[in-house]
Amino acid sequence: MEIEVVEGDITEQAVDVVVNAANSSLLGGGGVDGAIHRRGGPEVLAACRALRAAHLGGGLGVGQAVATTAGRLPAKWVVHTVGPVHSATEDRSELLAACHRNSLLVAAELGAETVAFPAISTGVYRWPLESAAEIALAAVREPVGPVRLVRFVLFGAAAHRAFADRL
Ligand code: ADP
């Protein structure tokens, strides 16, 4: 399996799966979540609402992942995962790793071969970029099902450098 690091906007990626750094509500937010819902259009939100009305009534737990349509995005599916909020007193690294592994498992179940990840938890959830890069890159190292390419799509030069340095 190939791991790639690029600088760019994840909503423009023509991959099978785009991973969204969502929040537990699945009903949209800021950052990459807002961008995915804006560009993906109302079908993505409708699919999230349907999940909430069905088996995810309490929302999606931290570290878990679930798929929806990608709506108008060039991708085929969005896999929504909820990153942990960074804590200075508690080590939540396993949860951040779980976001990546569970997203890949969901992607593999869909038959996805190409998966794009943003830098989960490094925005509003304040995870330091260098640490997030280390955890994320380690978490995707094991091949999963048909996935042959994992591409980290980083917003801005600093995020790109953090991931590229550790690849
Ligand atoms: P979280 O709540 O998990 O911290 P954020 O969306 O606030 O999620 O930030 C996660 C990362 O996504 C940040 O590094 C942010 O710069 C980046 N980001 C924001 N918009 C985009 C986008 N369109 N494409 C790729 N990355 C993005």
Side-chain angles (χ1 to χ4, degrees):
M1 197 185 62
E2 193 183 343
I3 302 176
E4 247 177 33
V5 165
V6 302
E7 188 178 339
D9 180 342
I10 200 166
T11 65
E12 293 170 0
Q13 297 292 315
V15 286
D16 293 334
V17 161
V18 158
V19 176
N20 181 20
N23 57 55
S24 291
S25 81
L26 290 180
L27 301 180
V32 72
D33 195 12
I36 284 173
H37 279 282
R38 256 193 318 277
R39 300 268 315 246
E43 285 167 56
V44 181
L45 185 58
C48 288
R49 285 192 200 283
L51 287 171
R52 288 295 308 271
H55 66 290
L56 289 177
L60 187 65
V62 177
Q64 296 178 343
V66 69
T68 67
T69 172
R72 297 170 194 162
L73 293 175
K76 290 187 191 153
W77 300 281
V78 174
V79 169
H80 307 262
T81 187
V82 183
V85 175
H86 186 261
S87 164
T89 53
E90 190 190 350
D91 182 6
R92 299 176 181 166
S93 307
E94 273 307 314
L95 286 168
L96 185 55
C99 285
H100 294 81
R101 283 197 299 271
N102 288 329
S103 296
L104 281 182
L105 286 171
V106 171
E109 279 168 23
L110 293 165
E113 295 185 3
T114 55
V115 180
F117 280 92
I120 298 168
S121 288
T122 66
V124 173
Y125 289 174
R126 303 185 315 273
W127 205 292
L129 274 171
E130 292 71 21
S131 164
E134 208 155 296
I135 293 163
L137 288 164
V140 302
R141 203 147 292 156
E142 289 285 304
V144 183
V147 179
R148 59 176 172 77
L149 172 70
V150 170
R151 179 183 297 154
F152 287 93
V153 182
L154 292 320
F155 213 49
H160 178 257
R161 200 173 319 113
F163 276 70
D165 284 353
R166 282 161 189 80
L167 182 63

